[in-house]
Short mmCIF file of all heavy atoms in Angstrom, two decimals:
data_model
loop_
_atom_site.label_atom_id
_atom_site.label_comp_id
_atom_site.label_asym_id
_atom_site.label_seq_id
_atom_site.Cartn_x
_atom_site.Cartn_y
_atom_site.Cartn_z
N LEU A 480 -9.40 143.75 211.15
CA LEU A 480 -9.34 143.04 209.87
C LEU A 480 -7.93 142.49 209.67
O LEU A 480 -6.94 143.19 209.90
CB LEU A 480 -9.72 143.96 208.72
CG LEU A 480 -11.15 144.51 208.74
CD1 LEU A 480 -11.37 145.45 207.55
CD2 LEU A 480 -12.18 143.39 208.72
N GLY A 481 -7.85 141.23 209.25
CA GLY A 481 -6.56 140.59 209.06
C GLY A 481 -6.07 139.81 210.26
O GLY A 481 -5.11 139.03 210.14
N ASP A 482 -6.72 140.00 211.43
CA ASP A 482 -6.34 139.21 212.61
C ASP A 482 -6.60 137.73 212.37
O ASP A 482 -7.48 137.36 211.56
CB ASP A 482 -7.15 139.65 213.84
CG ASP A 482 -6.67 140.97 214.42
OD1 ASP A 482 -5.65 141.49 213.93
OD2 ASP A 482 -7.32 141.47 215.37
N THR A 483 -5.86 136.90 213.07
CA THR A 483 -6.05 135.46 212.95
C THR A 483 -6.36 134.86 214.32
O THR A 483 -5.99 135.41 215.36
CB THR A 483 -4.81 134.77 212.36
OG1 THR A 483 -3.69 135.00 213.22
CG2 THR A 483 -4.51 135.29 210.96
N PHE A 484 -7.04 133.73 214.30
CA PHE A 484 -7.35 132.95 215.50
C PHE A 484 -6.87 131.52 215.30
O PHE A 484 -6.72 131.06 214.16
CB PHE A 484 -8.87 132.95 215.76
CG PHE A 484 -9.43 134.28 216.19
CD1 PHE A 484 -9.83 135.23 215.26
CD2 PHE A 484 -9.57 134.59 217.54
CE1 PHE A 484 -10.36 136.45 215.64
CE2 PHE A 484 -10.10 135.81 217.94
CZ PHE A 484 -10.50 136.74 216.99
N GLN A 485 -6.68 130.85 216.41
CA GLN A 485 -6.29 129.44 216.40
C GLN A 485 -5.03 129.20 215.57
O GLN A 485 -5.01 128.42 214.61
CB GLN A 485 -7.43 128.54 215.88
CG GLN A 485 -8.56 128.32 216.88
CD GLN A 485 -8.15 127.51 218.09
OE1 GLN A 485 -7.49 128.03 219.00
NE2 GLN A 485 -8.53 126.23 218.13
N ALA A 486 -3.97 129.91 215.97
CA ALA A 486 -2.65 129.73 215.35
C ALA A 486 -2.69 129.92 213.84
O ALA A 486 -2.06 129.18 213.09
CB ALA A 486 -2.09 128.35 215.71
N GLY A 487 -3.47 130.89 213.41
CA GLY A 487 -3.50 131.23 212.00
C GLY A 487 -4.54 130.49 211.18
O GLY A 487 -4.63 130.71 209.96
N ARG A 488 -5.34 129.64 211.82
CA ARG A 488 -6.32 128.88 211.04
C ARG A 488 -7.39 129.80 210.46
O ARG A 488 -7.79 129.64 209.30
CB ARG A 488 -6.98 127.81 211.90
CG ARG A 488 -8.09 127.07 211.16
CD ARG A 488 -8.62 125.88 211.90
NE ARG A 488 -9.68 125.25 211.12
CZ ARG A 488 -10.30 124.11 211.46
NH1 ARG A 488 -9.93 123.47 212.56
NH2 ARG A 488 -11.25 123.63 210.69
N TYR A 489 -7.90 130.76 211.26
CA TYR A 489 -9.00 131.61 210.83
C TYR A 489 -8.50 133.04 210.62
O TYR A 489 -7.88 133.63 211.52
CB TYR A 489 -10.12 131.62 211.86
CG TYR A 489 -10.66 130.25 212.19
CD1 TYR A 489 -10.36 129.64 213.41
CD2 TYR A 489 -11.46 129.56 211.30
CE1 TYR A 489 -10.86 128.38 213.72
CE2 TYR A 489 -11.97 128.30 211.59
CZ TYR A 489 -11.66 127.71 212.81
OH TYR A 489 -12.14 126.47 213.11
N THR A 490 -8.78 133.61 209.47
CA THR A 490 -8.39 134.98 209.16
C THR A 490 -9.63 135.86 209.03
O THR A 490 -10.53 135.54 208.24
CB THR A 490 -7.58 135.05 207.85
OG1 THR A 490 -6.43 134.19 207.95
CG2 THR A 490 -7.12 136.47 207.56
N VAL A 491 -9.67 136.95 209.79
CA VAL A 491 -10.83 137.85 209.81
C VAL A 491 -10.82 138.72 208.55
O VAL A 491 -9.82 139.37 208.23
CB VAL A 491 -10.81 138.73 211.07
CG1 VAL A 491 -11.93 139.77 211.02
CG2 VAL A 491 -10.92 137.87 212.32
N ARG A 492 -11.98 138.78 207.86
CA ARG A 492 -12.07 139.53 206.61
C ARG A 492 -13.17 140.59 206.60
O ARG A 492 -13.12 141.51 205.80
CB ARG A 492 -12.30 138.55 205.45
CG ARG A 492 -11.17 137.54 205.24
CD ARG A 492 -9.90 138.22 204.77
NE ARG A 492 -10.15 138.99 203.56
CZ ARG A 492 -10.16 138.45 202.32
NH1 ARG A 492 -9.91 137.15 202.16
NH2 ARG A 492 -10.39 139.20 201.26
N HIS A 493 -14.17 140.47 207.44
CA HIS A 493 -15.27 141.45 207.44
C HIS A 493 -16.02 141.30 208.76
O HIS A 493 -15.78 140.36 209.52
CB HIS A 493 -16.23 141.19 206.27
CG HIS A 493 -16.94 142.41 205.75
ND1 HIS A 493 -17.43 143.39 206.59
CD2 HIS A 493 -17.26 142.81 204.48
CE1 HIS A 493 -18.02 144.33 205.86
NE2 HIS A 493 -17.91 144.02 204.58
N LYS A 494 -16.89 142.24 209.03
CA LYS A 494 -17.69 142.21 210.26
C LYS A 494 -19.13 141.89 209.92
O LYS A 494 -19.72 142.50 209.01
CB LYS A 494 -17.59 143.56 210.97
CG LYS A 494 -18.29 143.61 212.32
CD LYS A 494 -18.03 144.98 212.93
CE LYS A 494 -18.74 145.18 214.22
NZ LYS A 494 -18.53 146.57 214.70
N LEU A 495 -19.70 140.95 210.64
CA LEU A 495 -21.07 140.51 210.40
C LEU A 495 -22.08 141.19 211.31
O LEU A 495 -23.23 141.41 210.92
CB LEU A 495 -21.17 138.99 210.55
CG LEU A 495 -20.36 138.16 209.56
CD1 LEU A 495 -20.42 136.69 209.93
CD2 LEU A 495 -20.85 138.38 208.13
N GLY A 496 -21.68 141.49 212.55
CA GLY A 496 -22.64 142.09 213.46
C GLY A 496 -22.09 142.18 214.87
O GLY A 496 -20.92 141.88 215.12
N TYR A 497 -22.95 142.57 215.79
CA TYR A 497 -22.56 142.66 217.19
C TYR A 497 -23.82 142.62 218.04
O TYR A 497 -24.94 142.82 217.56
CB TYR A 497 -21.80 143.96 217.47
CG TYR A 497 -22.63 145.21 217.29
CD1 TYR A 497 -23.33 145.77 218.36
CD2 TYR A 497 -22.74 145.82 216.05
CE1 TYR A 497 -24.11 146.90 218.19
CE2 TYR A 497 -23.51 146.96 215.87
CZ TYR A 497 -24.19 147.50 216.94
OH TYR A 497 -24.97 148.61 216.76
N GLY A 498 -23.62 142.33 219.30
CA GLY A 498 -24.72 142.33 220.25
C GLY A 498 -24.25 142.94 221.55
O GLY A 498 -23.19 143.56 221.62
N GLY A 499 -25.01 142.74 222.61
CA GLY A 499 -24.63 143.32 223.89
C GLY A 499 -23.42 142.67 224.51
O GLY A 499 -22.75 143.29 225.34
N SER A 500 -23.12 141.43 224.11
CA SER A 500 -22.01 140.74 224.76
C SER A 500 -21.12 139.99 223.77
O SER A 500 -20.38 139.09 224.17
CB SER A 500 -22.57 139.74 225.79
OG SER A 500 -23.43 138.80 225.17
N SER A 501 -21.15 140.35 222.49
CA SER A 501 -20.30 139.66 221.52
C SER A 501 -20.22 140.45 220.23
O SER A 501 -21.04 141.33 219.97
CB SER A 501 -20.83 138.25 221.22
OG SER A 501 -22.14 138.33 220.66
N THR A 502 -19.22 140.12 219.44
CA THR A 502 -19.12 140.61 218.07
C THR A 502 -19.00 139.40 217.16
O THR A 502 -18.59 138.32 217.59
CB THR A 502 -17.89 141.53 217.89
OG1 THR A 502 -16.70 140.83 218.30
CG2 THR A 502 -18.03 142.80 218.71
N ALA A 503 -19.38 139.56 215.90
CA ALA A 503 -19.37 138.43 214.96
C ALA A 503 -18.64 138.85 213.69
O ALA A 503 -18.83 139.96 213.19
CB ALA A 503 -20.79 137.98 214.63
N TRP A 504 -17.84 137.92 213.15
CA TRP A 504 -16.92 138.25 212.07
C TRP A 504 -16.96 137.22 210.96
O TRP A 504 -17.11 136.01 211.21
CB TRP A 504 -15.50 138.37 212.62
CG TRP A 504 -15.41 139.40 213.69
CD1 TRP A 504 -15.65 139.23 215.03
CD2 TRP A 504 -15.12 140.80 213.52
NE1 TRP A 504 -15.53 140.41 215.70
CE2 TRP A 504 -15.20 141.40 214.80
CE3 TRP A 504 -14.80 141.58 212.41
CZ2 TRP A 504 -14.97 142.76 215.00
CZ3 TRP A 504 -14.57 142.93 212.61
CH2 TRP A 504 -14.64 143.51 213.88
N LEU A 505 -16.83 137.71 209.74
CA LEU A 505 -16.64 136.84 208.57
C LEU A 505 -15.16 136.49 208.51
O LEU A 505 -14.30 137.37 208.52
CB LEU A 505 -17.07 137.59 207.32
CG LEU A 505 -16.69 136.99 205.96
CD1 LEU A 505 -17.31 135.61 205.78
CD2 LEU A 505 -17.10 137.92 204.83
N ALA A 506 -14.87 135.20 208.45
CA ALA A 506 -13.48 134.76 208.45
C ALA A 506 -13.31 133.63 207.44
O ALA A 506 -14.28 132.96 207.05
CB ALA A 506 -13.06 134.29 209.84
N TYR A 507 -12.07 133.42 207.07
CA TYR A 507 -11.75 132.31 206.17
C TYR A 507 -11.02 131.25 206.95
O TYR A 507 -10.05 131.53 207.67
CB TYR A 507 -10.90 132.79 205.00
CG TYR A 507 -10.73 131.72 203.94
CD1 TYR A 507 -11.79 131.36 203.12
CD2 TYR A 507 -9.51 131.06 203.77
CE1 TYR A 507 -11.65 130.37 202.15
CE2 TYR A 507 -9.36 130.07 202.80
CZ TYR A 507 -10.43 129.74 202.00
OH TYR A 507 -10.30 128.75 201.04
N ASP A 508 -11.50 130.01 206.84
CA ASP A 508 -10.88 128.86 207.47
C ASP A 508 -9.80 128.35 206.52
O ASP A 508 -10.10 127.72 205.51
CB ASP A 508 -11.93 127.79 207.75
CG ASP A 508 -11.38 126.57 208.47
OD1 ASP A 508 -10.15 126.37 208.46
OD2 ASP A 508 -12.19 125.80 209.03
N ASN A 509 -8.55 128.63 206.86
CA ASN A 509 -7.44 128.28 205.96
C ASN A 509 -7.18 126.78 205.91
O ASN A 509 -6.58 126.30 204.95
CB ASN A 509 -6.17 129.01 206.40
CG ASN A 509 -6.30 130.52 206.29
OD1 ASN A 509 -6.41 131.06 205.20
ND2 ASN A 509 -6.32 131.20 207.43
N ASP A 510 -7.64 126.04 206.93
CA ASP A 510 -7.46 124.58 206.91
C ASP A 510 -8.54 123.90 206.08
O ASP A 510 -8.24 123.09 205.20
CB ASP A 510 -7.49 124.03 208.34
CG ASP A 510 -6.25 124.40 209.14
OD1 ASP A 510 -5.35 125.06 208.56
OD2 ASP A 510 -6.18 124.05 210.33
N ALA A 511 -9.80 124.23 206.37
CA ALA A 511 -10.91 123.59 205.65
C ALA A 511 -11.22 124.29 204.33
O ALA A 511 -12.03 123.79 203.55
CB ALA A 511 -12.16 123.58 206.54
N ARG A 512 -10.60 125.44 204.10
CA ARG A 512 -10.80 126.22 202.87
C ARG A 512 -12.28 126.53 202.63
O ARG A 512 -12.87 126.15 201.62
CB ARG A 512 -10.19 125.49 201.66
CG ARG A 512 -8.69 125.30 201.77
CD ARG A 512 -8.07 124.74 200.50
NE ARG A 512 -6.63 124.63 200.62
CZ ARG A 512 -5.76 125.63 200.47
NH1 ARG A 512 -6.21 126.84 200.18
NH2 ARG A 512 -4.47 125.43 200.60
N ARG A 513 -12.85 127.23 203.61
CA ARG A 513 -14.25 127.64 203.51
C ARG A 513 -14.44 128.92 204.32
O ARG A 513 -13.65 129.25 205.22
CB ARG A 513 -15.17 126.55 204.02
CG ARG A 513 -14.98 126.21 205.49
CD ARG A 513 -15.85 125.04 205.91
NE ARG A 513 -15.52 124.59 207.26
CZ ARG A 513 -15.98 123.47 207.82
NH1 ARG A 513 -16.79 122.69 207.11
NH2 ARG A 513 -15.64 123.15 209.04
N TRP A 514 -15.50 129.62 204.01
CA TRP A 514 -15.86 130.83 204.74
C TRP A 514 -16.71 130.45 205.95
O TRP A 514 -17.57 129.57 205.86
CB TRP A 514 -16.63 131.79 203.84
CG TRP A 514 -15.81 132.27 202.68
CD1 TRP A 514 -15.82 131.80 201.40
CD2 TRP A 514 -14.83 133.31 202.71
NE1 TRP A 514 -14.92 132.47 200.62
CE2 TRP A 514 -14.29 133.41 201.40
CE3 TRP A 514 -14.35 134.17 203.70
CZ2 TRP A 514 -13.31 134.34 201.07
CZ3 TRP A 514 -13.38 135.10 203.38
CH2 TRP A 514 -12.87 135.18 202.08
N VAL A 515 -16.44 131.12 207.07
CA VAL A 515 -17.14 130.80 208.32
C VAL A 515 -17.48 132.10 209.04
O VAL A 515 -17.04 133.18 208.67
CB VAL A 515 -16.27 129.91 209.25
CG1 VAL A 515 -15.98 128.57 208.59
CG2 VAL A 515 -14.98 130.64 209.64
N SER A 516 -18.27 131.94 210.08
CA SER A 516 -18.58 133.05 211.00
C SER A 516 -17.93 132.75 212.34
O SER A 516 -17.99 131.61 212.82
CB SER A 516 -20.09 133.18 211.17
OG SER A 516 -20.41 134.06 212.24
N ILE A 517 -17.30 133.75 212.95
CA ILE A 517 -16.73 133.61 214.28
C ILE A 517 -17.41 134.59 215.22
O ILE A 517 -17.38 135.80 214.99
CB ILE A 517 -15.20 133.85 214.30
CG1 ILE A 517 -14.48 132.86 213.39
CG2 ILE A 517 -14.67 133.73 215.73
CD1 ILE A 517 -12.97 133.03 213.39
#
Side-chain angles (χ1 to χ4, degrees):
L480 297 178
D482 284 355
T483 61
F484 290 87
Q485 284 293 77
R488 175 172 180 175
Y489 304 107
T490 303
V491 174
R492 298 292 304 277
H493 208 320
K494 185 176 176 184
L495 296 173
Y497 66 91
S500 59
S501 61
T502 55
W504 302 87
L505 167 61
Y507 189 71
D508 183 342
N509 296 294
D510 289 359
R512 297 187 178 279
R513 62 185 172 190
W514 297 98
V515 297
S516 169
I517 300 182

